[in-house]
């Protein structure tokens, strides 16, 4: 299977299946000398692990990470960082019957068409448990970015029809079981979600991510645009069906006079923008403003209502999916969006170090 490695310099390789022995990741290209620990990685993994609220799958997993290499005396060594999380409570029998048919909204059919074979236990590589690898690697990227004063923070912006108010303080996101910083909107969304759970249905939503402190000049002007790479990384998360940067699709309804961001000169002599419709990226390159990204997640495809499909013989059948499933993906996906944004920014920061000869001379002739 190709396509399990992400990044150019800061490279991440994800491996493992939902019901295999474990999920793991190898991070290569991480600079030496970054403070790192299993406790730091675990703090991010705890935000996506199952069974923490009534709105996630009841599958109980500690998701305890072990760092196998690349660390010495609490710091990165510059060599590959290998990490593993062992699976503990697989119930593969819950999925045995789906080997014979295709679940609506899942990758069962496409996996069979591509490989002629699939691991039907919880979806195998297409399972949401694969995101353990992304979050563990993203925590390493977050440690790198912290050294540079760059923060990457995500939160739930919308669930179903309920959206947070503008200018909400996203620091309050941890007060909500849905990671929704507007607590009034969170309460209404919870009521809506409970209703859909009673109806054996699921719900989608939107995650917003803000990157603060990224300097101007990160990203390439043609094929490796910062916004294009962010979109590719976040679209690679299962269940993401759309990505916006800045005003996104609203820009299509704007005019040039309302959409353009004017430039101003600050008192300290630096240049900034008076608005941020572009979401911190111009011409594929960061402009020094906050980078604003939104990801739209579809409803969880595993629902307990009876659904119509076909089996591998091509016969039409009705099914009722069994197992342990999230009624909504969004809250546990917040840290996954954060991680993919952190990985992308980290990689392009390192790539952008080669853009200017004067900076290269400054580094090597200091």
């Amino acid at each position: 299977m190709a396509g399990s490695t992400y990044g150019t310099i800061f490279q991440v390789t994800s491996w493992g299946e939902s019901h295999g022995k474990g999920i793991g990741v190898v991070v290569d290209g991480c600079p030496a000398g970054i403070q790192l620990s299993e406790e730091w990685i675990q703090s991010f993994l705890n935000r996506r692990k199952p069974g923490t609220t009534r709105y996630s799958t009841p599958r109980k997993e500690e998701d305890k990470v072990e760092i196998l290499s690349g660390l010495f005396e609490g710091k990165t060594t510059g060599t590959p960082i290998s990490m593993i999380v062992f699976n503990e409570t697989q119930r593969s029998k819950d999925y045995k019957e789906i080997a014979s048919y295709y679940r609506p909204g899942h990758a069962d059919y496409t996996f069979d068409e591509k490989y002629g074979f699939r691991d039907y236990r919880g979806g195998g590589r297409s399972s949401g448990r694969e995101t353990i690898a992304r979050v563990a690697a993203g925590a390493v990227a977050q440690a790198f970015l912290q050294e540079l004063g760059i923060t990457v923070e995500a939160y739930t912006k919308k669930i179903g029809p309920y959206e947070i108010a503008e200018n909400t303080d996203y620091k309050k996101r941890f007060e909500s079981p849905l990671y929704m910083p507007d607590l009034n909107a969170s309460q209404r969304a919870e009521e809506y979600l409970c209703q859909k759970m009673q109806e054996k249905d699921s719900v989608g939503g939107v995650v917003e991510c803000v990157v603060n402190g990224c300097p101007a000049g990160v990203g390439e002007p043609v094929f490796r645009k910062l916004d294009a790479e962010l979109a590719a990384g976040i679209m690679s998360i299962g269940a993401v069906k759309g990505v916006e940067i800045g005003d996104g699709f609203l820009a299509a309804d704007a005019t040039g006079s309302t959409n353009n961001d004017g430039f101003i000169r600050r008192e300290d002599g630096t240049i900034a923008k008076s608005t941020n419709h572009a979401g911190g990226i111009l011409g594929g390159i960061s402009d020094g403003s906050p980078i604003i990204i939104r990801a739209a997640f579809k409803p969880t495809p595993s629902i307990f209502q009876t659904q119509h499909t076909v089996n591998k013989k091509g016969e039409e059948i009705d099914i009722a999916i069994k197992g342990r499933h999230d009624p909504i993906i969004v809250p546990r996906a917040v840290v996954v969006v954060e991680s993919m944004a952190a990985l992308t920014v980290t990689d392009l920061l390192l790539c952008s170090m080669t853009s200017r000869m004067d900076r290269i001379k400054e580094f090597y002739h200091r």
Side-chain angles (χ1 to χ4, degrees):
M1 175 185 285
S4 290
T5 298
Y6 181 75
T8 300
I9 294 178
F10 195 92
Q11 284 196 328
V12 171
T13 300
S14 159
W15 58 266
E17 292 80 33
S18 173
H19 285 235
K21 287 190 175 183
I23 302 286
V25 65
V26 177
V27 179
D28 200 7
C30 180
I34 299 171
Q35 200 79 32
L36 194 67
S37 66
E38 289 180 350
E39 290 74 23
W40 172 264
I41 308 290
Q42 194 65 52
S43 69
F44 289 87
L45 287 172
N46 287 345
R47 291 168 53 197
R48 71 144 307 280
K49 76 179 182 181
T52 55
T53 74
R54 65 180 299 191
Y55 308 116
S56 68
T57 169
R59 177 174 177 169
K60 294 292 184 181
E61 294 278 3
E62 285 301 312
D63 285 354
K64 187 172 176 58
V65 69
E66 294 183 31
I67 300 177
L68 306 179
S69 66
L71 207 62
F72 182 66
E73 295 183 343
K75 291 188 176 182
T76 57
T77 61
T79 59
I81 302 167
S82 182
M83 295 175 280
I84 187 169
V85 169
F86 288 101
N87 293 326
E88 296 173 339
T89 62
Q90 307 98 312
R91 278 175 22 191
S92 300
K93 65 180 185 299
D94 288 345
Y95 299 90
K96 193 165 186 178
E97 65 180 62
I98 72 169
S100 63
Y101 60 75
Y102 301 123
R103 294 169 295 171
H106 283 269
D108 302 340
Y109 172 72
T110 51
F111 258 64
D112 265 0
E113 287 296 299
K114 181 172 179 62
Y115 299 107
F117 173 82
R118 64 184 160 96
D119 182 348
Y120 57 81
R121 304 167 301 167
R125 283 293 284 165
S126 62
S127 167
R129 269 193 80 70
E130 184 274 333
T131 60
I132 285 172
R134 299 166 185 255
V135 174
V140 178
Q142 291 271 33
F144 169 85
L145 294 173
Q146 183 177 254
E147 297 270 349
L148 299 173
I150 300 170
T151 61
V152 183
E153 298 174 287
Y155 49 90
T156 301
K157 183 177 179 63
K158 183 180 180 183
I159 286 179
Y162 299 101
E163 186 169 350
I164 64 174
E166 285 194 30
N167 301 316
T168 296
D169 180 6
Y170 60 81
K171 302 293 183 183
K172 293 182 178 179
R173 66 195 186 279
F174 297 114
E175 298 176 27
S176 162
L178 302 177
Y179 290 101
M180 208 167 192
D182 180 339
L183 300 184
N184 290 326
S186 177
Q187 184 176 350
R188 294 196 300 273
E190 287 180 62
E191 292 168 358
Y192 174 73
L193 186 52
C194 287
Q195 176 191 335
K196 293 304 172 186
M197 289 168 68
Q198 289 175 354
E199 296 170 2
K200 299 181 179 180
D201 215 341
S202 62
V203 177
V206 175
V207 172
E208 187 165 82
C209 184
V210 181
V211 182
N212 277 305
C214 183
V218 177
E220 303 301 326
V222 185
F223 294 119
R224 295 213 64 205
K225 288 178 165 69
L226 176 56
D227 41 4
E229 294 296 305
L230 284 167
I234 291 169
M235 280 292 289
S236 74
I237 302 168
V240 172
K241 302 304 288 183
V243 175
E244 288 187 330
I245 308 290
D247 282 2
F249 280 91
L250 290 177
D253 297 326
T255 60
S257 60
T258 60
N259 184 248
N260 288 343
D261 297 312
F263 288 95
I264 59 173
R265 187 181 182 88
R266 295 194 188 103
E267 289 185 5
D268 64 2
T270 59
I271 294 173
K273 297 189 311 183
S274 55
T275 55
N276 192 22
H277 298 292
I281 303 171
L282 291 168
I285 303 167
S286 61
D287 61 29
S289 304
I291 297 168
I292 313 293
I293 314 146
R294 282 178 294 278
F297 284 81
K298 71 176 184 179
T300 315
S302 292
I303 60 174
F304 299 114
Q305 290 184 16
T306 299
Q307 299 179 87
H308 193 72
T309 188
V310 299
N311 60 24
K312 295 181 76 169
K313 296 178 182 178
E315 299 166 333
E316 295 192 19
I317 59 172
D318 289 322
I319 62 166
I321 292 174
K322 300 175 183 177
R324 302 164 293 177
H325 309 288
D326 294 89
I328 184 169
I329 293 167
V330 174
R332 292 176 62 205
V334 166
V335 70
V336 185
V337 171
E338 219 173 71
S339 298
M340 290 309 301
L343 289 169
T344 302
V345 171
T346 295
D347 189 42
L348 284 177
L349 271 165
L350 292 171
C351 291
S352 295
M353 290 174 67
T354 63
S355 298
R356 290 174 54 167
M357 194 65 204
D358 59 340
R359 301 281 172 82
I360 296 171
K361 286 180 178 178
E362 181 182 342
F363 178 82
Y364 282 105
H365 294 169
R366 65 187 185 279

mmCIF file of all heavy atoms in Angstrom, residues 241-266:
data_model
loop_
_atom_site.group_PDB
_atom_site.id
_atom_site.type_symbol
_atom_site.label_atom_id
_atom_site.label_comp_id
_atom_site.label_asym_id
_atom_site.label_seq_id
_atom_site.Cartn_x
_atom_site.Cartn_y
_atom_site.Cartn_z
ATOM 1 N N LYS A 241 -14.763 16.260 4.073
ATOM 2 C CA LYS A 241 -15.290 16.420 2.716
ATOM 3 C C LYS A 241 -15.110 17.827 2.169
ATOM 4 O O LYS A 241 -15.503 18.111 1.032
ATOM 5 C CB LYS A 241 -16.788 16.056 2.692
ATOM 6 C CG LYS A 241 -17.084 14.639 3.177
ATOM 7 C CD LYS A 241 -16.324 13.589 2.402
ATOM 8 C CE LYS A 241 -16.843 13.394 0.999
ATOM 9 N NZ LYS A 241 -16.120 12.292 0.282
ATOM 10 N N GLY A 242 -14.520 18.717 2.948
ATOM 11 C CA GLY A 242 -14.275 20.068 2.451
ATOM 12 C C GLY A 242 -13.312 20.823 3.342
ATOM 13 O O GLY A 242 -13.284 20.591 4.551
ATOM 14 N N VAL A 243 -12.501 21.706 2.742
ATOM 15 C CA VAL A 243 -11.552 22.534 3.488
ATOM 16 C C VAL A 243 -11.648 23.968 2.979
ATOM 17 O O VAL A 243 -11.731 24.200 1.760
ATOM 18 C CB VAL A 243 -10.101 22.017 3.334
ATOM 19 C CG1 VAL A 243 -9.121 22.966 4.013
ATOM 20 C CG2 VAL A 243 -9.960 20.625 3.926
ATOM 21 N N GLU A 244 -11.651 24.920 3.913
ATOM 22 C CA GLU A 244 -11.653 26.342 3.569
ATOM 23 C C GLU A 244 -10.458 27.017 4.216
ATOM 24 O O GLU A 244 -10.050 26.652 5.314
ATOM 25 C CB GLU A 244 -12.901 27.044 4.108
ATOM 26 C CG GLU A 244 -14.185 26.716 3.401
ATOM 27 C CD GLU A 244 -15.318 27.596 3.924
ATOM 28 O OE1 GLU A 244 -15.287 27.999 5.109
ATOM 29 O OE2 GLU A 244 -16.229 27.881 3.137
ATOM 30 N N ILE A 245 -9.911 28.013 3.545
ATOM 31 C CA ILE A 245 -8.867 28.870 4.102
ATOM 32 C C ILE A 245 -9.418 30.296 4.135
ATOM 33 O O ILE A 245 -9.943 30.789 3.132
ATOM 34 C CB ILE A 245 -7.583 28.847 3.247
ATOM 35 C CG1 ILE A 245 -7.103 27.410 2.989
ATOM 36 C CG2 ILE A 245 -6.497 29.690 3.909
ATOM 37 C CD1 ILE A 245 -6.560 26.678 4.185
ATOM 38 N N GLY A 246 -9.313 30.958 5.282
ATOM 39 C CA GLY A 246 -9.821 32.324 5.389
ATOM 40 C C GLY A 246 -11.315 32.381 5.151
ATOM 41 O O GLY A 246 -12.073 31.592 5.698
ATOM 42 N N ASP A 247 -11.769 33.320 4.293
ATOM 43 C CA ASP A 247 -13.197 33.430 4.001
ATOM 44 C C ASP A 247 -13.723 32.248 3.212
ATOM 45 O O ASP A 247 -14.937 32.036 3.140
ATOM 46 C CB ASP A 247 -13.472 34.722 3.214
ATOM 47 C CG ASP A 247 -13.481 35.951 4.105
ATOM 48 O OD1 ASP A 247 -13.231 35.804 5.327
ATOM 49 O OD2 ASP A 247 -13.719 37.059 3.590
ATOM 50 N N GLY A 248 -12.843 31.486 2.585
ATOM 51 C CA GLY A 248 -13.268 30.282 1.881
ATOM 52 C C GLY A 248 -14.308 30.557 0.816
ATOM 53 O O GLY A 248 -14.156 31.449 -0.022
ATOM 54 N N PHE A 249 -15.421 29.793 0.864
ATOM 55 C CA PHE A 249 -16.450 29.908 -0.170
ATOM 56 C C PHE A 249 -17.182 31.252 -0.124
ATOM 57 O O PHE A 249 -17.783 31.654 -1.124
ATOM 58 C CB PHE A 249 -17.446 28.745 -0.054
ATOM 59 C CG PHE A 249 -16.933 27.471 -0.669
ATOM 60 C CD1 PHE A 249 -16.227 26.551 0.086
ATOM 61 C CD2 PHE A 249 -17.125 27.208 -2.016
ATOM 62 C CE1 PHE A 249 -15.734 25.391 -0.479
ATOM 63 C CE2 PHE A 249 -16.641 26.048 -2.597
ATOM 64 C CZ PHE A 249 -15.941 25.129 -1.828
ATOM 65 N N LEU A 250 -17.119 31.940 1.001
ATOM 66 C CA LEU A 250 -17.726 33.274 1.070
ATOM 67 C C LEU A 250 -17.038 34.250 0.120
ATOM 68 O O LEU A 250 -17.641 35.241 -0.309
ATOM 69 C CB LEU A 250 -17.676 33.818 2.498
ATOM 70 C CG LEU A 250 -18.581 33.132 3.530
ATOM 71 C CD1 LEU A 250 -18.352 33.731 4.904
ATOM 72 C CD2 LEU A 250 -20.050 33.247 3.115
ATOM 73 N N ALA A 251 -15.774 33.969 -0.196
ATOM 74 C CA ALA A 251 -15.037 34.851 -1.115
ATOM 75 C C ALA A 251 -15.679 34.880 -2.499
ATOM 76 O O ALA A 251 -15.558 35.865 -3.234
ATOM 77 C CB ALA A 251 -13.583 34.407 -1.217
ATOM 78 N N ALA A 252 -16.386 33.798 -2.843
ATOM 79 C CA ALA A 252 -17.036 33.746 -4.154
ATOM 80 C C ALA A 252 -18.177 34.748 -4.259
ATOM 81 O O ALA A 252 -18.561 35.158 -5.365
ATOM 82 C CB ALA A 252 -17.553 32.338 -4.421
ATOM 83 N N ASP A 253 -18.735 35.165 -3.126
ATOM 84 C CA ASP A 253 -19.835 36.130 -3.114
ATOM 85 C C ASP A 253 -19.346 37.557 -2.879
ATOM 86 O O ASP A 253 -20.150 38.491 -2.856
ATOM 87 C CB ASP A 253 -20.847 35.768 -2.026
ATOM 88 C CG ASP A 253 -21.496 34.413 -2.269
ATOM 89 O OD1 ASP A 253 -21.693 34.066 -3.449
ATOM 90 O OD2 ASP A 253 -21.802 33.709 -1.295
ATOM 91 N N ALA A 254 -18.037 37.716 -2.668
ATOM 92 C CA ALA A 254 -17.486 39.033 -2.342
ATOM 93 C C ALA A 254 -17.081 39.781 -3.614
ATOM 94 O O ALA A 254 -17.136 39.258 -4.723
ATOM 95 C CB ALA A 254 -16.285 38.876 -1.412
ATOM 96 N N THR A 255 -16.650 40.996 -3.421
ATOM 97 C CA THR A 255 -16.050 41.783 -4.500
ATOM 98 C C THR A 255 -14.599 42.043 -4.134
ATOM 99 O O THR A 255 -14.200 41.869 -2.974
ATOM 100 C CB THR A 255 -16.775 43.136 -4.672
ATOM 101 O OG1 THR A 255 -16.670 43.869 -3.437
ATOM 102 C CG2 THR A 255 -18.235 42.932 -5.025
ATOM 103 N N GLY A 256 -13.819 42.474 -5.114
ATOM 104 C CA GLY A 256 -12.408 42.737 -4.839
ATOM 105 C C GLY A 256 -12.222 43.788 -3.754
ATOM 106 O O GLY A 256 -11.335 43.674 -2.898
ATOM 107 N N SER A 257 -13.095 44.800 -3.765
ATOM 108 C CA SER A 257 -12.955 45.885 -2.795
ATOM 109 C C SER A 257 -13.259 45.445 -1.370
ATOM 110 O O SER A 257 -12.747 46.017 -0.408
ATOM 111 C CB SER A 257 -13.870 47.048 -3.182
ATOM 112 O OG SER A 257 -15.224 46.624 -3.204
ATOM 113 N N THR A 258 -14.104 44.407 -1.219
ATOM 114 C CA THR A 258 -14.428 43.914 0.127
ATOM 115 C C THR A 258 -13.564 42.739 0.541
ATOM 116 O O THR A 258 -13.374 42.492 1.735
ATOM 117 C CB THR A 258 -15.906 43.497 0.213
ATOM 118 O OG1 THR A 258 -16.166 42.455 -0.749
ATOM 119 C CG2 THR A 258 -16.826 44.668 -0.049
ATOM 120 N N ASN A 259 -13.009 42.020 -0.443
ATOM 121 C CA ASN A 259 -12.232 40.821 -0.113
ATOM 122 C C ASN A 259 -10.750 41.096 0.074
ATOM 123 O O ASN A 259 -10.068 40.388 0.819
ATOM 124 C CB ASN A 259 -12.413 39.761 -1.210
ATOM 125 C CG ASN A 259 -11.711 38.450 -0.892
ATOM 126 O OD1 ASN A 259 -10.740 38.079 -1.545
ATOM 127 N ND2 ASN A 259 -12.209 37.755 0.113
ATOM 128 N N ASN A 260 -10.229 42.137 -0.589
ATOM 129 C CA ASN A 260 -8.796 42.437 -0.466
ATOM 130 C C ASN A 260 -8.444 42.878 0.959
ATOM 131 O O ASN A 260 -9.182 43.635 1.585
ATOM 132 C CB ASN A 260 -8.389 43.546 -1.440
ATOM 133 C CG ASN A 260 -8.372 43.073 -2.868
ATOM 134 O OD1 ASN A 260 -8.354 41.882 -3.144
ATOM 135 N ND2 ASN A 260 -8.389 44.020 -3.802
ATOM 136 N N ASP A 261 -7.297 42.412 1.436
ATOM 137 C CA ASP A 261 -6.783 42.826 2.740
ATOM 138 C C ASP A 261 -5.785 43.959 2.536
ATOM 139 O O ASP A 261 -4.747 43.773 1.881
ATOM 140 C CB ASP A 261 -6.080 41.656 3.443
ATOM 141 C CG ASP A 261 -7.017 40.503 3.736
ATOM 142 O OD1 ASP A 261 -8.114 40.761 4.274
ATOM 143 O OD2 ASP A 261 -6.657 39.341 3.446
ATOM 144 N N GLY A 262 -6.072 45.141 3.103
ATOM 145 C CA GLY A 262 -5.138 46.256 2.993
ATOM 146 C C GLY A 262 -3.943 46.071 3.911
ATOM 147 O O GLY A 262 -4.013 45.359 4.920
ATOM 148 N N PHE A 263 -2.830 46.692 3.556
ATOM 149 C CA PHE A 263 -1.613 46.627 4.375
ATOM 150 C C PHE A 263 -1.450 47.905 5.185
ATOM 151 O O PHE A 263 -1.810 49.000 4.733
ATOM 152 C CB PHE A 263 -0.380 46.389 3.498
ATOM 153 C CG PHE A 263 -0.304 44.997 2.946
ATOM 154 C CD1 PHE A 263 -0.803 44.708 1.682
ATOM 155 C CD2 PHE A 263 0.258 43.971 3.695
ATOM 156 C CE1 PHE A 263 -0.739 43.424 1.175
ATOM 157 C CE2 PHE A 263 0.321 42.681 3.194
ATOM 158 C CZ PHE A 263 -0.185 42.402 1.931
ATOM 159 N N ILE A 264 -0.911 47.759 6.375
ATOM 160 C CA ILE A 264 -0.646 48.900 7.253
ATOM 161 C C ILE A 264 0.769 48.781 7.814
ATOM 162 O O ILE A 264 1.374 47.701 7.771
ATOM 163 C CB ILE A 264 -1.656 48.979 8.420
ATOM 164 C CG1 ILE A 264 -1.603 47.678 9.252
ATOM 165 C CG2 ILE A 264 -3.064 49.247 7.909
ATOM 166 C CD1 ILE A 264 -2.442 47.721 10.510
ATOM 167 N N ARG A 265 1.251 49.894 8.323
ATOM 168 C CA ARG A 265 2.570 49.906 8.960
ATOM 169 C C ARG A 265 2.370 50.103 10.464
ATOM 170 O O ARG A 265 1.763 51.085 10.897
ATOM 171 C CB ARG A 265 3.442 51.028 8.386
ATOM 172 C CG ARG A 265 4.886 51.027 8.858
ATOM 173 C CD ARG A 265 5.648 52.196 8.238
ATOM 174 N NE ARG A 265 7.046 52.189 8.624
ATOM 175 C CZ ARG A 265 8.012 51.538 7.969
ATOM 176 N NH1 ARG A 265 7.699 50.842 6.888
ATOM 177 N NH2 ARG A 265 9.270 51.586 8.372
ATOM 178 N N ARG A 266 2.854 49.158 11.239
ATOM 179 C CA ARG A 266 2.725 49.259 12.691
ATOM 180 C C ARG A 266 3.687 50.303 13.249
ATOM 181 O O ARG A 266 4.607 50.756 12.565
ATOM 182 C CB ARG A 266 3.030 47.906 13.337
ATOM 183 C CG ARG A 266 2.065 46.781 13.008
ATOM 184 C CD ARG A 266 2.300 45.633 13.990
ATOM 185 N NE ARG A 266 1.544 44.426 13.654
ATOM 186 C CZ ARG A 266 2.056 43.348 13.076
ATOM 187 N NH1 ARG A 266 3.346 43.347 12.724
ATOM 188 N NH2 ARG A 266 1.321 42.299 12.834
#
